[in-house]
Amino acid sequence: MLCPRLRILSGNWTHSLPPDFVRGITRLYGSSLQELYWKDTKDQSFMNPVHLSSFYALRVLDLRNYAGGDANNIQDMSTLPVLEHLVLASSHASMSAALSLSLPSLTTLTLKPCDAGYFASPDIFRRFLKLHGPSLLSVHLPSSAGLDPEPIVRPLHGSSLQNNVKPEAFLLPDACPNLHTLTFTIQSPVIAIDTPHQALRRIGLCEVASNGLYPDKASPTRSHLMSVRREMFPNLETVRTVGFLVDADSDMLAEDVFIWWTEYFELEGIDFQDGAGVVWVYE
């Protein structure tokens, strides 16, 4: 073994790889590799869930660029016993591959958007939540530009920053009953649920800018913040503006408008934090 301490493998291939390459990787690093990511542009990925079962030490698996192929015909589940973080695209190929995996230690899902022409069907998404939803503690829904400098599958058309999975889908009854952290962008549809989610503790709102925080001006940020109600999230502790730092913003009123929201959420017993986890108040 030339790299006996290898723990992370990442690759980007534009041509088919020989079968011996896959066999060699699984033989050499099946017991030690902890993170695996690859990108291939063919109709069939060089590796499918059957191969993945050889990497039983994996803790992070990135399938957002999974191209599909014969994985759709796989009948038996492959088990990754210690995998904790699964990264997917909302494409049919990526989410279908996840349905072929048994992940008893899964806690975190990052789900990146894809072009509408590749989007997984509602049935695939429901099956995914039925299989993996009960184990999820954290779900992150980044924009198409928020996870990878190279767009997956194809760039989004039209509303390029909007994740095509609604945040509320993970908050519906029996979807993710143990979910305690949900992160999404201001371009996501506003959450509208009828049944309270008892477990949620933290909400992260990404791509916030100070001009969207003005409480007297309509904006996606304002709509999202106003939709967070104690009666729907009885155990919510924190709302955080992920990536937005008050003291680094050039807006002279950034601190004042942020404190307005601090006081707004304080009445609900919720901490409103900036990206550094700071709760801003007047001295």
Side-chain angles (χ1 to χ4, degrees), residues 89-154:
S90 54
S91 67
H92 177 84
S94 184
M95 298 201 73
S96 294
L99 293 178
S100 301
L101 299 173
S102 174
L103 307 172
S105 300
L106 181 67
T107 61
T108 303
L109 170 69
T110 297
L111 185 58
K112 191 176 179 184
C114 71
D115 185 84
Y118 296 84
F119 188 43
S121 68
D123 178 64
I124 292 291
F125 189 68
R126 283 192 294 268
R127 288 167 57 195
F128 174 85
L129 287 179
K130 183 177 180 180
L131 178 63
H132 297 300
S135 65
L136 291 175
L137 302 180
S138 301
V139 170
H140 308 291
L141 305 175
S143 74
S144 61
L147 190 62
D148 187 353
E150 297 184 50
I152 64 162
V153 186
R154 290 183 185 176

Side-chain angles (χ1 to χ4, degrees), residues 129 133-136 170 172-180 197-200:
L129 287 179
S135 65
L136 291 175
F170 299 92
L172 297 177
D174 301 322
C176 302
N178 300 305
L179 188 69
H180 63 58
H197 193 285
Q198 301 292 334
L200 197 67

Side-chain angles (χ1 to χ4, degrees), residues 8 62 79 103 106 131 156 190 206 225 268:
I8 302 173
D62 190 334
T79 300
L103 307 172
L106 181 67
L131 178 63
L156 286 168
V190 173
C206 305
L225 294 177
E268 298 284 322

Side-chain angles (χ1 to χ4, degrees), residues 22 31 56 65 84 108 147 150 224 255 269:
V22 179
S31 62
Y56 51 83
N65 290 303
E84 299 172 348
T108 303
L147 190 62
E150 297 184 50
H224 279 294
E255 183 175 337

Side-chain angles (χ1 to χ4, degrees), residues 112-275:
K112 191 176 179 184
C114 71
D115 185 84
Y118 296 84
F119 188 43
S121 68
D123 178 64
I124 292 291
F125 189 68
R126 283 192 294 268
R127 288 167 57 195
F128 174 85
L129 287 179
K130 183 177 180 180
L131 178 63
H132 297 300
S135 65
L136 291 175
L137 302 180
S138 301
V139 170
H140 308 291
L141 305 175
S143 74
S144 61
L147 190 62
D148 187 353
E150 297 184 50
I152 64 162
V153 186
R154 290 183 185 176
L156 286 168
H157 301 307
S159 180
S160 62
L161 293 180
Q162 181 172 324
N163 198 307
N164 42 23
V165 175
K166 296 179 179 180
E168 67 185 48
F170 299 92
L171 302 173
L172 297 177
D174 301 322
C176 302
N178 300 305
L179 188 69
H180 63 58
T181 301
L182 179 61
T183 304
F184 51 92
T185 79
I186 61 170
Q187 303 297 333
S188 300
V190 173
I191 292 173
I193 56 175
D194 298 321
T195 303
H197 193 285
Q198 301 292 334
L200 197 67
R201 299 292 193 274
R202 292 184 288 274
I203 290 176
L205 194 56
C206 305
E207 301 179 345
V208 171
S210 60
N211 60 2
L213 288 169
Y214 283 79
D216 59 343
K217 296 180 180 179
S219 69
T221 299
R222 180 183 182 277
S223 297
H224 279 294
L225 294 177
M226 287 290 187
S227 73
V228 178
R229 307 190 314 276
R230 171 60 74 190
E231 60 265 29
M232 289 295 101
F233 306 108
N235 292 297
L236 189 66
E237 299 171 355
T238 303
V239 175
R240 178 176 292 190
T241 57
V242 179
F244 176 79
L245 303 175
V246 173
D247 58 0
D249 197 87
S250 59
D251 189 335
M252 294 177 59
L253 296 178
E255 183 175 337
D256 292 321
V257 295
F258 205 90
I259 291 176
W260 190 95
W261 288 105
T262 297
E263 295 173 346
Y264 173 87
F265 280 107
E266 186 178 23
L267 296 176
E268 298 284 322
I270 299 170
D271 281 347
F272 184 62
Q273 303 176 351
D274 75 354

